[in-house]
Structure formats: structure tokens, C-alpha cells
Amino acid sequence: MKYTAFRSYRAARWLATRMEEASRQPDRGDISITTVIIWVAAVGGALAIAGTIAVVIAKYNLSLSGI
């Protein structure tokens, strides 16, 4: 309990420092549109593959139970 105030002060100071640094460099983390398109395509492809596997397993569930 003794160190709670110190830790919260340290966290507040760290956050204030980070916010000040971010205000000095406002364009420091832009994601290009190409990266967004690639991520959307990858997630969409993964969902399509997972959906296809789920449909195939549901369709042939009885046939696969003897394996």
C-alpha cells in the first residue's frame, strides 16, 4: 500500500511524457492503405477457408466418424 502512490505517480508521469512526445510527432504511426487491404484480404481468406472446412465437416460428419 505504501508504494501505490509512487507507482501511480510514475504511471501518470510516463503517460504525460508519452503524450507530450506524441504531440511533437503527430504523424508517427500512419498505416498505409495497402497494409489495410492486405490485412482485410488475409482475414477474409482465413474466414472463407475456416467456413469451407466447417461445411465439409458438417456434411460428411457421419462418414468421418468411422475413421
Side-chain angles (χ1 to χ4, degrees), residues 24-49:
R24 281 188 271 137
Q25 301 173 359
D27 294 333
R28 200 182 84 180
D30 290 343
I31 298 175
S32 68
I33 191 67
T34 307
T35 304
V36 173
I37 291 170
I38 291 170
W39 273 101
V40 168
V43 169
L47 289 174
I49 291 170

Side-chain angles (χ1 to χ4, degrees), residues 36-66:
V36 173
I37 291 170
I38 291 170
W39 273 101
V40 168
V43 169
L47 289 174
I49 291 170
T52 303
I53 291 171
V55 167
V56 168
I57 288 176
K59 184 175 182 180
Y60 297 106
N61 196 16
L62 294 175
S63 301
L64 293 173
S65 64

Side-chain angles (χ1 to χ4, degrees), residues 1-8:
M1 189 70 166
K2 173 176 153 178
Y3 296 109
T4 305
F6 178 70
R7 285 183 180 174
S8 59

